[in-house]
Amino acid sequence: TYKLELLKNDNTNWADAAVLKGLTDPYAVVSNLEVGKYYKWRVSSSVDGDYLTAPSFGIFKVDDNAVTAIDDEDGIIPESFRVSQNYPNPFNPSTVIKYGIPEASFVTIKIYNILGSEIATLVNTELNAGIHQAVWNGRDNLGNKVSSGTYILRVTAGNNSATKKMLLLK
């Protein structure tokens, strides 16, 4: 399951955050937020009772319970294709892969072992331009947990592709 926390003030006191718990999907539509600016958000995933937190930073404003503006360090639509290093890295049990595509493209994200064998396909669909992210939970396409080691991430969008090394430690 997932827990989403939204921090309304500009400090790091997460005890004051708005919290949504028990989410079963790695995304959420949030409504009925208090009007004002929110400065940070973070998602915690629970696998076998252990939580992993991956904070994201940016500012969004809620006006009459609707998001009216989002400021992101990368911008809403990137000027060029880019893939950030997964975080955390090394990771256990899951990691976040953030990427940006400047125009609508067919996107694939695949994970390979160090020998080049495909382990998992995370994304295989047409996506709109913008900043996106995917989460890999350290499992193969059959749902089996993979062993500790180095894995290769490959993100392809249209004619663009990028690879990154990831380290899973148990």
Side-chain angles (χ1 to χ4, degrees):
T1 61
Y2 299 90
K3 175 175 69 173
L4 171 64
E5 297 172 278
L6 304 162
L7 192 59
K8 189 165 181 189
N9 50 38
D10 196 15
N11 64 35
T12 56
N13 186 359
W14 289 98
D16 297 334
V19 179
L20 286 137
K21 292 182 182 179
L23 302 170
T24 56
D25 293 310
Y27 56 87
V29 176
V30 180
S31 59
N32 299 321
L33 286 175
E34 199 176 307
V35 172
K37 271 189 179 180
Y38 288 79
Y39 288 89
K40 297 176 188 172
W41 57 91
R42 68 181 179 183
V43 175
S44 300
S45 60
S46 173
V47 177
D48 300 327
D50 294 327
Y51 281 94
L52 172 69
T53 301
S56 298
F57 300 95
I59 297 173
F60 65 95
K61 188 185 340 180
V62 176
D63 183 17
D64 295 328
N65 293 326
V67 175
T68 58
I70 298 176
D71 294 328
D72 188 300
E73 63 183 325
D74 298 317
I76 301 301
I77 297 179
E79 293 181 18
S80 61
F81 172 76
R82 66 176 169 264
V83 178
S84 299
Q85 184 65 50
N86 64 299
Y87 64 89
N89 190 33
F91 68 96
N92 180 13
S94 63
T95 189
V96 176
I97 300 146
K98 186 175 177 183
Y99 57 101
I101 53 175
E103 58 191 29
S105 304
F106 191 85
V107 176
T108 59
I109 298 179
K110 295 188 177 199
I111 309 295
Y112 298 89
N113 66 17
I114 201 69
L115 300 175
S117 299
E118 183 181 323
I119 299 299
T121 299
L122 305 181
V123 175
N124 192 32
T125 191
E126 183 82 21
L127 292 175
N128 291 328
I131 305 296
H132 302 274
Q133 68 180 28
V135 176
W136 184 40
N137 61 5
R139 295 180 182 266
D140 65 16
N141 281 332
L142 299 175
N144 301 311
K145 289 183 179 180
V146 299
S147 60
S148 294
T150 301
Y151 292 88
I152 306 299
L153 158 72
R154 183 169 181 85
V155 180
T156 304
N159 294 326
N160 300 298
S161 68
T163 58
K164 303 280 184 183
K165 284 185 183 179
M166 304 185 298
L167 184 59
L168 172 60
L169 293 178
K170 292 187 178 182

